[in-house]
Amino acid sequence: MNVGVLTRRAARGATALRGGRGWRPSPYQVFGFLFWLVMSLAYWRVPLCCDAGQHAAVVERLRADFLDPRHPTADLPGAGSLSYSPYALAQGALARLTGLSGWNVLRVAGPLNLLVLLTGVGRFTRVLTSRPWAPVAALASMTLLWGTERAWAGGHLALMPMTGNLGHPSTFAVGLTFWAWALTGTRAREARRVRFVGPSGLRGFTGYAALGALYGLILLVDPLTWVAAAAGGAAFVAGWQRGWRPGLALRWATTGVAALLVAAAWPYFDVFAPTAGDDAVDAAHRRLYEGLAGHCWLAAAGLPALWARGWGRGAWRKRGGARDPLVLMFVLECLVVAYGWFGGRYAYGQLLGLALVPPQFALAVALAAPRPWGAERRVLGAVAAGAACLGFLTVQAGAVVPRSLDPVGFAQPPRRPSYDWAARHIQPGETVIADGSHAVHAIAGYGANLVAPALPDAALDERERQRRLGDVRAYLSPASTRAERSAIVHRHRVRWLLLTRLRPLPEEAVVVAWSPRTGEVLARVG
């Protein structure tokens, strides 16, 4: 026999102490890093829009006063505003330490939130299976298997909405949700006997309490996402936990109590208090349910894999059967979304992204199985590949393909106008009357105040907000007199008008600047 077969080659260099084997990244580490890099660049190239102005305004208020911030978008007290979550305070601290503006903090937050999301997805997938390619397939399913019509809302995990919402609190909360599900699933599968006393018992209770603190943090950052997070956590406990005993039930009760205590101890707002303006918020989100099928029908490619986890045969069937956590999670998340429609709570439509996680991840686990594949799995793989290509080419491609490199003409993310040209004249804390939908959502992000906030907030009674909206309408009415306008200016200490090109300018206003792109005018009054 050849001696070389029996002898081991000597290890040299830095790998000698490790037996000659160097570190090799996993497939998910490679593709996850590439995804993080591409999506971070895509997020940076698209102008921030929509609710980004609200989040930038929160950072500006915290930069001005960290302990007692004013209302995010109006010259009013900010006590009780749900905007001042632990996540927002971390952003405010970053702004105070670095001098970054609210808009720039959102730019920095996007890649950081994406990192939390990607690590959470990887950890969650490894709880479901040890197959190395499953997290890669899960990431592809999660971002491509949506629909052939654009869906754009906070918490949506497709490529296109990611270009606009990576810096939002909802994205951070979704990333924490994947971590919470992964940790819940890990603990639910533990078969060790519960101990009441001793160091091991104390460590056990501490771990469950820490998990509850994580759920409490999600509740503070985004209460809507917490609803889906709690439903998913309950699915894992119901599906995987075995051997219920009083001590085990006490540990899970510790998780729930810890979550409630963390949320209740937050000093900036009461997350359990009824929120004023819920009806107005729900009305604004009704569009999320319009064309719902067109937004998510491609995710149906994962339903056969999800069905097989509960009721399949042979290699398809999992130990849990109908109690499989993904099956239970899908049922619970769909019930939450359905409640939003039938109960008139349309804001729950933002949870669609988490409701699609079970079929998307069930499909990923199935397609990550080692080969050879049977006929059923080959058909499933072909359907999934076709659905992913269709979703990418019809909706998602424009998120990562710049217009300059686009040979087809993919639909691009929205490019809302910037208001830097107006903000350079407006001092922080000065009050503005604006009539454009984009201006109303953006100008507060530069530190300015609005007479009437665009969105309801717990810090402002909804009746007062509607009264202020009435004052804005009265001021902008062509039938208003100069005396009436002066009274409104004096009442709200208005300093500026930011009006669209179709709005007549009051005679007492002095034009200071205008936008060549939109034709909007900034005028001084007061």
Side-chain angles (χ1 to χ4, degrees), residues 187-379:
R187 293 200 170 274
R189 285 197 303 191
E190 289 180 348
R192 294 179 299 177
R193 185 177 181 84
V194 176
R195 296 180 181 273
F196 291 94
V197 296
S200 61
L202 180 61
R203 286 195 300 270
F205 276 100
T206 302
Y208 282 82
L211 179 58
L214 178 58
Y215 278 102
L217 178 60
I218 296 171
L219 176 58
L220 291 172
V221 173
D222 190 351
L224 273 179
T225 300
W226 177 84
V227 174
F236 274 99
V237 175
W240 275 352
Q241 187 65 68
R242 297 291 187 272
W244 283 95
R245 302 180 185 89
L248 187 59
L250 182 60
R251 289 191 174 190
W252 284 117
T254 301
T255 300
V257 171
L260 297 178
L261 288 177
V262 168
W266 187 245
Y268 284 83
F269 58 80
D270 182 4
V271 73
F272 304 109
T275 303
D278 278 345
D279 293 338
V281 172
D282 290 322
H285 287 91
R286 183 184 176 90
R287 58 179 177 79
L288 297 176
Y289 285 91
E290 297 173 354
L292 187 64
H295 295 159
C296 64
W297 70 275
L298 292 177
L303 291 179
L306 189 65
W307 175 269
R309 291 182 69 91
W311 298 279
R313 295 181 178 180
W316 288 87
R317 185 173 177 84
K318 300 299 177 182
R319 291 183 302 169
R323 291 182 60 184
D324 181 85
L326 288 183
V327 174
L328 295 177
M329 183 188 296
F330 184 62
V331 173
L332 293 177
E333 303 290 6
C334 287
L335 288 176
V336 170
V337 176
Y339 165 74
W341 171 253
F342 292 105
R345 296 302 184 186
Y346 302 116
Y348 282 85
Q350 297 181 74
L351 302 180
L352 176 64
L354 292 175
L356 299 182
V357 163
Q360 291 168 341
F361 280 62
L363 176 65
V365 172
L367 297 183
R371 297 186 179 183
W373 287 358
E376 293 177 344
R377 206 178 298 265
R378 288 197 298 270
V379 171

Side-chain angles (χ1 to χ4, degrees), residues 109-148:
L112 297 179
N113 289 348
L114 182 58
L115 182 62
V116 175
L117 176 62
L118 290 177
T119 55
V121 168
R123 186 70 180 87
F124 176 66
T125 310
R126 286 194 294 273
V127 170
L128 298 174
T129 179
S130 60
R131 297 168 183 172
W133 285 94
V136 179
L139 181 59
S141 298
M142 183 184 73
T143 55
L144 296 177
L145 294 184
W146 279 74
T148 49

Side-chain angles (χ1 to χ4, degrees), residues 423-462:
R424 66 173 58 101
H425 300 281
I426 304 173
Q427 296 298 315
E430 293 184 332
T431 302
V432 181
I433 287 180
D435 68 333
S437 59
H438 301 330
V440 166
H441 285 88
I443 196 62
Y446 295 93
N449 290 314
L450 294 169
V451 171
L455 300 174
D457 192 284
L460 178 63
D461 185 88
E462 181 61 15

